[in-house]
Amino acid sequence: MNQISINEFIEGIPKAELHLHIEGTFEPELMFEIAHRNNISINYSSVDDLKKAYNFNNLQEFLDIYYAGASVLITEQDFYDLTWAYLTKVHEQNIVHTEIFFDPQTHTDRGVSFETVIHGIHNALEVGKEKLGISSHLIMCFLRHLDEESAFETLNQALPYKKWITAVGLDSSELGNPPSKFERVFSKAIDEGFITVAHAGEEGPADYIWEAINLLKVSRIDHGNRSLDDDQLIKFLSDKQIPLTICPLSNLELKVVDDLINHPLLKLMDAGLMVTINSDDPAYFGGYMNENYCRIASALNLSKEQIKELAKNSFQSSFLSDDDKEIMIRKIEQYYQKNNN
Ligand code: HPA
Ligand code: ZN
């Protein structure tokens, strides 16, 4: 039997994506196209000129550009096109299930209605399911640099769309905006039937991860790199198998790690944690899922067996039903049996 390379193995294996900001999939070409049709001028003269600005020293420098990019999204069609472009990418990369963050406040604060945003995204996801066979869940994120009142307002706007939104999350500028700031909002979200997740321990300390677990009752931690600073936390995450959604290229581009060879992924796996690989904001960080898998596999010399474990973890950590998880995990085992030589 012909041996396939690790990259081919990665490309072919079925995967789920669990940490993906739809606004972070906004490719410069589509950004220029949508800006043009909305008669909005972009501060950059060309796609290449814009791409040159994608050079970040930390999370905040990225967020400033990310919010500026998202500001050209106005109509339902814009949100549909953005989501559809991502889904076609997902399809090419053998991602069969995706759980997508969206940031309503980034849009409602500019006068775009919640309805416009959710309808555009949701309609594309429906077509993605029908035409591409991609299943999905939506996760509505609160912007943590904004206040509690604004988060409550956003939660209220989401209530009529409960059937389209599975979970709530927390993103944006982490330092100085601990999970405790949103304890009451998350408590209400849980009462309304939403699952909860939160970005924690990307730039913020391990204490923020504890807060996300204890106060926000999260089912997953987004990023969680800093958990390694706290042995007790590592033991807790391992005992409870609380998933971490790790984003290697994001960590590299935002200087959370200085080099992928120093990325903590293997340490976290060796400590028995439930870790997954994700792309975060692929249009800004130089790669979608397969690029994240391939780059980290190369930097850490991961084996096909380790890739198989990561792909299995992606389904195990998802919000799919136990039956659907089981089906996908079995498919991955079969794929591995066929291709692990
Ligand atoms: N961290 C926090 N907020 C974000 C991110 C991130 O990595 N991406 C988009 N919003
Ligand atoms: Zn993120």
Side-chain angles (χ1 to χ4, degrees), residues 43-308:
N43 272 343
Y44 300 89
S45 61
S46 66
V47 164
D48 281 346
D49 195 26
L50 173 58
K51 282 183 182 166
K52 278 193 205 119
Y54 292 0
N55 191 353
F56 315 110
N57 292 302
N58 52 46
L59 174 59
Q60 193 58 52
E61 287 186 12
F62 156 69
L63 290 170
D64 291 342
I65 289 209
Y66 163 85
Y67 294 130
S71 72
V72 308
L73 297 162
I74 308 286
T75 67
E76 189 176 314
Q77 187 70 45
D78 299 342
F79 289 93
Y80 182 97
D81 291 349
L82 174 70
T83 309
W84 184 252
Y86 166 66
L87 290 171
T88 58
K89 203 74 191 176
V90 160
H91 192 54
E92 280 169 21
Q93 296 210 342
N94 283 315
I95 301 162
V96 299
H97 176 71
T98 180
E99 301 187 354
I100 299 177
F101 296 127
F102 72 115
D103 289 341
Q105 289 152 298
T106 299
H107 315 296
T108 52
D109 277 10
R110 302 180 285 113
V112 175
S113 75
F114 190 95
E115 288 66 29
T116 299
V117 178
I118 188 110
H119 277 111
I121 297 172
H122 175 78
N123 290 343
L125 294 179
E126 287 287 293
V127 179
K129 170 103 198 133
E130 194 185 309
K131 296 225 165 106
L132 307 175
I134 299 163
S135 59
S136 57
H137 284 300
L138 262 183
I139 306 172
M140 179 179 83
C141 279
F142 302 112
L143 298 180
R144 68 203 303 159
H145 68 275
L146 299 180
D147 60 22
E148 184 194 41
E149 190 189 338
S150 172
F152 266 118
E153 224 172 276
T154 304
L155 179 57
N156 286 331
Q157 288 170 330
L159 294 182
Y161 298 99
K162 258 191 204 175
K163 61 179 186 306
W164 294 354
I165 303 170
T166 305
V168 298
L170 190 62
D171 65 1
S172 190
S173 322
E174 187 180 11
L175 285 169
N177 295 299
S180 54
K181 182 174 165 185
F182 297 95
E183 184 178 358
R184 294 190 298 184
V185 183
F186 271 62
S187 172
K188 176 165 183 205
I190 291 166
D191 289 344
E192 294 288 352
F194 294 102
I195 297 170
T196 63
V197 298
H199 283 55
E202 180 184 18
E203 286 186 342
D207 276 357
Y208 283 19
I209 302 174
W210 280 120
E211 281 190 16
I213 293 165
N214 292 325
L215 306 181
L216 308 188
K217 318 284 184 209
V218 295
S219 298
R220 298 195 294 246
I221 294 288
D222 295 313
H223 295 297
N225 297 51
R226 296 284 301 275
S227 54
L228 281 164
D229 297 348
D230 181 335
D231 291 346
Q232 262 185 306
L233 177 58
I234 286 289
K235 180 168 182 338
F236 185 87
L237 292 169
S238 168
D239 286 350
K240 302 279 183 210
Q241 291 290 284
I242 297 175
L244 302 188
T245 60
I246 296 286
C247 307
L249 290 177
S250 166
N251 292 159
L252 182 67
E253 292 303 314
L254 301 187
K255 313 287 189 285
V256 170
V257 296
D258 62 349
D259 192 309
L260 284 183
I261 60 172
N262 298 320
H263 194 283
L265 177 83
L266 258 186
K267 277 192 203 132
L268 294 165
M269 287 174 83
D270 288 346
L273 270 67
M274 176 62 68
V275 291
T276 63
I277 299 283
N278 306 275
S279 73
D280 206 4
D281 301 284
Y284 292 91
F285 299 147
Y288 287 76
M289 281 279 272
N290 285 350
E291 291 79 18
N292 271 273
Y293 268 83
C294 290
R295 294 276 302 277
I296 196 72
S298 159
L300 302 180
N301 200 19
L302 299 182
S303 65
K304 288 179 184 169
E305 187 173 4
Q306 285 167 321
I307 298 299
K308 174 194 73 167

Side-chain angles (χ1 to χ4, degrees), residues 329-340:
I329 288 169
R330 215 174 309 129
K331 277 193 187 167
I332 290 171
E333 281 297 345
Q334 284 164 358
Y335 177 88
Y336 178 72
Q337 291 311 325
K338 218 169 122 192
N339 295 295
N340 76 342

